[in-house]
Amino acid sequence: MRQPLVAGNWKMNGSRASVSELLGGLKSGIGAVNTAEVAVCAPFIYIPDTQMQLDGTAIKWGGQDVSTHESGAYTGEISAQMLTDFACHFVIIGHSERRAYHGESDALVAEKFTAARAAGLVPILCVGETLDERERGVTEQVVARQLDAVIEHCGIDLVGEGVVAYEPVWAIGTGKTASPEQAQEVHAFIRGRLAANSQAVADATRVLYGGSMNPKNAAELMAQPDIDGGLIGGASLKADDFLAVCKAANR
Ligand code: PGA
């Protein structure tokens, strides 16, 4: 059985003070019995504080992006090795905001996936269609293209060492969630795409849903057979909301 995963994506939010308060809330509320794996992906600069507060707890942490390079003259970049230096477990790769605002191509995303794995990080690969793409009926083509780029570059076995997150762009930060049926349809498609390359990888790989997931809709979404957890933006910034989503993922 796939262990559910709930990962918070804080994006570019918070201050040292608010991060400390949020982590304190998560630590005290997570409880001893949580069958889901739980993680927070912090802005780079708050990762040391996050490590200090979460070390020894059941909550893992990670980054929101990574360089394709190991080191060198790449001003402003953070390498996978630097993330593992602060005991990061996960890293988000190819989030739609990076694709849209930083021009990240499918090829670059695939290179980032490889760099993350090479350093031992577990990449959370984001895929998903825009509203325009959904309305044009090309959701599956878009998701297939994004996924295949990584499978072709890294090989299916390496993809199986990561996590996939389906995040319809039109549902991110908009309060508009994909219905459980809409989400399940694409999740099943993603799993089928993995299965076309390896049934074992398809069976074992976690596919998360992301896009306005919150305490109200989490349980229904996560009850779908191919939804193995969530990548949570807005609702991960409040300890109570994030913990409620984590609870909904327990099996
Ligand atoms: P949201 O963001 O939960 O605020 O919609 C999810 C994400 O972008 O990862």
Side-chain angles (χ1 to χ4, degrees), residues 5-11 13 22 37-42 64 92 95 97 124 126 165-167 172-173 177 208-215 217-219 221-222 227-249:
L5 167 65
V6 178
N9 173 12
W10 293 351
K11 310 193 180 185
N13 290 296
L22 175 56
E37 192 174 26
V38 174
V40 294
C41 294
Q64 302 171 6
I92 298 170
H95 190 281
E97 286 149 18
I124 301 176
C126 299
Y166 168 58
E167 297 207 312
I172 295 178
T177 323
L208 314 182
Y209 170 80
S212 300
M213 196 188 256
N214 59 46
N217 58 32
L221 284 158
M222 293 200 251
I227 300 184
D228 306 310
L231 184 56
I232 320 298
S236 73
L237 297 171
K238 286 192 200 131
D240 288 350
D241 285 357
F242 188 62
L243 289 167
V245 174
C246 295
K247 216 174 262 174

Side-chain angles (χ1 to χ4, degrees), residues 27 48-59 61 86-87:
K27 261 167 71 170
D49 282 1
T50 302
Q51 177 186 20
M52 263 190 286
Q53 272 192 265
L54 293 184
D55 208 15
T57 73
I59 307 171
W61 56 94
F86 287 86

Side-chain angles (χ1 to χ4, degrees), residues 10-21:
W10 293 351
K11 310 193 180 185
M12 196 176 73
N13 290 296
S15 61
R16 281 194 97 172
S18 73
V19 161
S20 170
E21 194 186 324

Side-chain angles (χ1 to χ4, degrees), residues 47 51 55 60-62 82-90 121:
I47 288 176
Q51 177 186 20
D55 208 15
K60 299 183 170 97
W61 56 94
M82 290 170 180
L83 293 178
T84 56
D85 215 4
F86 287 86
C88 285
H89 188 81
F90 293 101
L121 292 164

